[in-house]
Amino acid sequence: MKRRIVAILAVFIMCALCTVTAFAAGTPARVVDEADVLTAGEEQALKTKLDNLSEKHKVDFVVVTVESLGGEDCGDFTADYFVDNGYGQGADKDGVMLLFSAEVVDGGRDYYIYYSGIGFDAINNEVEDVKDAIIGYLRNDDFVEAFNTFADECDSLIDIEINGEPFAFFKSLLISVAIGFGVSFVSVTAMKSKLKSVRMQKGATNYVK
């Protein structure tokens, strides 16, 4: 009897391990620090943040650092990395990726922001703003702040893309009130101007028959 129980428990443990392994294999790491620019603690904190954002929006948030691009164009390298490693959720492969290369080329280091699916819809027109938000941190080697700012900027843009701009209703209401006030003001001003011919009379002669 005891042997049966032990055997059953062993089967359950094996199944659980297989399930965990399969899940891990199907979920590529959202932080890959090949250039080793983050400490272990910083990497774990960033991973937790990106995993939470990815689950929140059903959009993969990914940060990758590499030691070298191997002479390849940074944009092509990033796009290939995104596709080859299975990033992107859903049929449209929704995702955003920041790739940073630590290799110094022509006095500078390359980075690229790649987006796919709803990531494209949310970020394509705003990508220069995202770059402006992180470039200073990258130049100062403040990688933690650069990567977190990237995540925050993309989180905000994707949230607007999915749920609409915050306070849009109140903006519309304020615009409507302003238009209504303007129309009323013009109407009242026009009515007032028509009454300027009426003057106060000192006597009642004009009213006596």
Side-chain angles (χ1 to χ4, degrees), residues 45-205:
L46 180 61
K47 179 182 181 299
T48 299
K49 179 173 186 171
L50 297 188
D51 284 344
N52 289 338
L53 290 176
S54 299
E55 180 63 26
K56 171 186 173 183
H57 295 300
K58 305 303 178 187
V59 176
D60 276 342
F61 283 65
V62 186
V63 170
V64 175
T65 73
V66 296
E67 293 181 356
S68 171
L69 299 173
E72 190 175 349
D73 175 77
C74 194
D76 294 338
F77 187 99
T78 307
D80 290 342
Y81 196 102
F82 186 94
V83 174
D84 293 345
N85 288 279
Y87 292 109
Q89 298 192 40
D92 295 328
K93 298 298 181 182
D94 301 323
V96 292
M97 173 186 282
L98 170 62
L99 186 139
F100 170 79
S101 173
E103 181 184 24
V104 177
V105 179
D106 296 330
R109 295 173 299 187
D110 283 328
Y111 75 98
Y112 194 84
I113 297 174
Y114 178 84
Y115 30 81
S116 177
I118 198 169
F120 179 92
D121 298 334
I123 297 170
N124 186 52
N125 293 330
E126 310 295 337
V127 67
E128 293 303 321
D129 291 338
V130 179
K131 290 180 179 179
D132 289 342
I134 68 174
I135 186 62
Y137 297 121
L138 290 178
R139 286 173 178 165
N140 294 325
D141 291 347
D142 190 351
F143 300 109
V144 172
E145 196 63 35
F147 299 156
N148 276 286
T149 300
F150 162 77
D152 292 339
E153 292 287 324
C154 291
D155 173 30
S156 177
L157 291 171
I158 290 174
D159 187 64
I160 290 173
E161 181 66 27
I162 294 174
N163 301 312
E165 190 170 357
F167 308 115
F169 170 76
F170 296 103
K171 285 184 178 179
S172 299
L173 180 62
L174 288 174
I175 291 172
S176 298
V177 170
I179 292 174
F181 178 80
V183 171
S184 300
F185 180 78
V186 171
S187 299
V188 171
T189 302
M191 293 171 61
K192 182 180 178 181
S193 64
K194 294 179 180 179
L195 299 176
K196 287 184 178 179
S197 60
V198 179
R199 296 288 186 271
M200 182 182 294
Q201 299 294 321
K202 294 183 179 179
T205 306

